[in-house]
Amino acid sequence: MTPQPPPSALPPPLLDVRDVTVFRGDRLVLDGVSLSLFSGDAMILTGPNGAGKSTLLRTISGLRKPDGGTVERQTELAWLGHQDALKPGLTLTQNLALAAKLGTGHMHEVLETLDLTFLADLPARLLSSGQKRRAAFARVMLSGAPLWLLDEPTVGLDVASIERLGAIMAEHRAKGGAMIVTTHVPLPLENTRSHELPSLANAEPLWLS
Ligand SMILES: Nc1ncnc2c1ncn2[C@@H]1O[C@H](COP(=O)(O)OP(=O)(O)OP(=O)(O)O)[C@@H](O)[C@H]1O
């Protein structure tokens, strides 16, 4: 007979970050950061400019390796960086075509949800900065990934768009997704957890032994 887990056993976290240390140049930016993320979680990553929020998200995403510690995840992720990464001469739909092909989201649905349908055939160079940010976020939705790493998703967004983003995030969590979000403005999200990164900017340069 297959042994069953005890009824009280918690499911494993979608993401488990243990004692992560990262240097940039000769500076220690992340010093032993640990956090876990479970299905339905929304974690707000806070800290002053330069505290290492983007560095942590890039490390979790696998874009850079930690100098110490481990990052374990049980699921696919989608990462939204500072750059919107849209090709100016391609239309919005053309820009999103690859993400739609590789992911499980539906282009029509995602454009509608983000109020981008009326811009679908416009070259990206003609989009406003807030529209570009929404377009970049469309890639995250198109991926269908359960784990979202969102680096300042609200930059350039108006109040209505921030409200819409909050609703999208809440729906993602309700479906079992999870996210880490860096932001310098309050988000319309309930029951969030927060993780504050201290600024190590004034620390003496250190070297790995
Ligand atoms: N390529 C690089 N080489 C060396 N140092 C870097 C590099 N990129 C970033 N840094 C440094 O790493 C530190 C953390 O930067 P990071 O962008 O992760 O901070 P942040 O908390 O996201 O800041 P912000 O709130 O301004 O977006 C900063 O001191 C920055 O100067």
Side-chain angles (χ1 to χ4, degrees), residues 105-113 117 142:
H106 301 290
M107 178 82 83
H108 174 77
E109 210 174 287
V110 167
L111 290 180
E112 199 61 38
T113 305
T117 305
L142 285 168

Side-chain angles (χ1 to χ4, degrees), residues 10 12 19 26 51 64 71 131 143 154:
L10 280 173
D19 292 324
D26 58 9
R64 62 171 301 129
V71 175
Q131 290 166 345
S143 74
T154 60

Side-chain angles (χ1 to χ4, degrees), residues 23-27 29-30 47-56 58 64 82 151-152 182 184 197 201:
F23 287 80
R24 299 206 87 163
D26 58 9
R27 292 231 167 251
V29 175
L30 299 176
N49 290 141
K53 302 178 294 298
S54 299
T55 302
L56 180 57
R58 292 179 72 87
R64 62 171 301 129
H82 284 185
D151 203 348
E152 301 194 32
T182 77
H184 291 287
L197 292 178

Side-chain angles (χ1 to χ4, degrees), residues 175-196:
K175 288 186 197 154
M179 63 198 70
I180 305 182
V181 189
T182 77
T183 177
H184 291 287
V185 300
L187 282 174
L189 267 186
E190 290 178 354
N191 300 322
T192 56
R193 296 161 56 201
S194 73
H195 186 104
E196 179 159 12

Side-chain angles (χ1 to χ4, degrees), residues 8 18 21 46 52 63 78 86 103 112 125 135 149 155-156 175 192:
S8 60
R18 286 289 130 221
T21 297
T46 61
L63 286 169
L86 298 167
E112 199 61 38
R125 68 171 183 278
L149 305 178
V155 168
K175 288 186 197 154
T192 56

Side-chain angles (χ1 to χ4, degrees), residues 77 81 87-88 91 97 146:
L77 65 77
K87 291 207 166 68
T91 66

Side-chain angles (χ1 to χ4, degrees), residues 84-185:
D84 296 326
L86 298 167
K87 291 207 166 68
L90 298 185
T91 66
L92 176 54
T93 308
Q94 287 167 339
N95 266 288
L96 298 177
L98 183 62
K101 189 175 171 195
L102 297 177
T104 59
H106 301 290
M107 178 82 83
H108 174 77
E109 210 174 287
V110 167
L111 290 180
E112 199 61 38
T113 305
L114 288 168
D115 192 24
L116 288 169
T117 305
F118 71 109
L119 300 167
D121 298 324
L122 217 58
R125 68 171 183 278
L126 299 183
L127 302 182
S128 74
S129 56
Q131 290 166 345
K132 283 181 185 154
R133 200 67 183 141
R134 272 149 53 201
F137 191 78
R139 286 207 186 93
V140 172
M141 294 182 72
L142 285 168
S143 74
L147 176 58
W148 290 356
L149 305 178
L150 308 176
D151 203 348
E152 301 194 32
T154 60
V155 168
L157 297 191
D158 59 23
V159 173
S161 298
I162 292 176
E163 285 295 329
R164 190 182 298 112
L165 194 69
I168 292 167
M169 289 170 164
E171 193 182 336
H172 184 65
R173 294 170 73 188
K175 288 186 197 154
M179 63 198 70
I180 305 182
V181 189
T182 77
T183 177
H184 291 287
V185 300

